[in-house]
């Protein structure tokens, strides 16, 4: 059986710092922490340092159904996620600055998102699907950007 635990490891020593339930990991802001997701939901695990020790948690459930992968813009304002639904994979854009993290589904032709990546400034979203070329959308409007 696969272990559905995420292990936080100190890269200098190889020492295990913490074990968190959930299979997927993505860095997210507010506060610095990680988002973990499994079949039961997605959770934000805040991480902070206190007295030279790493303090993790307590977790809080993220809005919406569980996601499989999450990519957050470096400014922490926008995220792209891949969510399973009805045997398909959908790409969505999340606004992390608003309560409830409102989302919008990307208009991908076959609804089989493989990756949904946000540009460093959070303005653009790139989505790829199975056997499809990458497509670019404006994150705020989901208006497609034509390739030239």
């Amino acid at each position: 059986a696969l272990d559905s635990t995420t292990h936080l490891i100190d890269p200098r020593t190889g020492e295990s710092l913490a074990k968190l339930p959930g299979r997927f990991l993505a860095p997210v802001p507010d506060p610095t922490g990680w988002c973990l997701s499994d079949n039961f939901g997605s959770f934000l695990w805040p991480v902070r340092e206190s007295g030279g020790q790493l303090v993790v948690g307590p977790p809080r459930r993220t809005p919406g159904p569980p996601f499989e992968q999450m990519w957050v813009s470096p400014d922490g304002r926008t995220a792209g996620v891949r969510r399973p639904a009805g045997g398909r994979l959908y790409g969505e854009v999340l606004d992390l600055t608003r309560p409830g993290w409102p989302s919008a589904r990307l208009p991908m032709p076959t609804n089989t998102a493989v990756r949904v990546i946000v540009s460093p400034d959070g303005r653009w979203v790139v989505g790829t699907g199975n056997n499809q070329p990458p497509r670019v959308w404006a994150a705020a409007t989901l208006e497609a950007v034509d390739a030239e």
Side-chain angles (χ1 to χ4, degrees):
L2 293 176
D3 181 3
S4 65
T5 303
T6 298
H7 300 264
L8 302 179
I9 306 294
D10 184 329
R12 293 169 292 154
T13 65
E15 176 187 357
S16 176
L17 300 174
K19 294 178 185 177
L20 307 175
R23 297 176 300 162
F24 305 100
L25 177 67
V28 296
D30 187 31
T32 301
W34 292 282
C35 231
L36 298 163
S37 186
D38 60 21
N39 294 335
F40 303 106
S42 301
F43 299 86
L44 176 66
W45 286 80
V47 177
R48 67 187 187 286
E49 186 177 345
S50 177
Q53 299 243 331
L54 184 66
V55 178
V56 180
R60 75 176 196 266
R61 185 179 290 273
T62 62
F67 55 81
E68 285 194 345
Q69 295 181 2
M70 181 180 204
W71 293 270
V72 180
S73 63
D75 67 6
R77 300 176 60 80
T78 309
V81 298
R82 180 177 80 180
R83 292 188 200 268
R88 295 177 177 237
L89 296 172
Y90 295 93
E92 293 184 8
V93 178
L94 306 178
D95 181 347
L96 301 181
T97 65
R98 295 178 50 205
W101 293 0
S103 66
R105 186 170 285 176
L106 291 174
M108 299 182 79
T110 63
N111 294 324
T112 56
V114 174
R115 296 245 187 306
V116 180
I117 301 171
V118 181
S119 67
D121 61 8
R123 292 180 51 211
W124 310 105
V125 177
V126 177
T128 63
N130 291 330
N131 301 316
Q132 298 174 21
R135 296 187 65 197
V136 180
W137 295 272
T141 63
L142 293 189
E143 183 176 327
V145 177
D146 294 327
E148 295 184 17

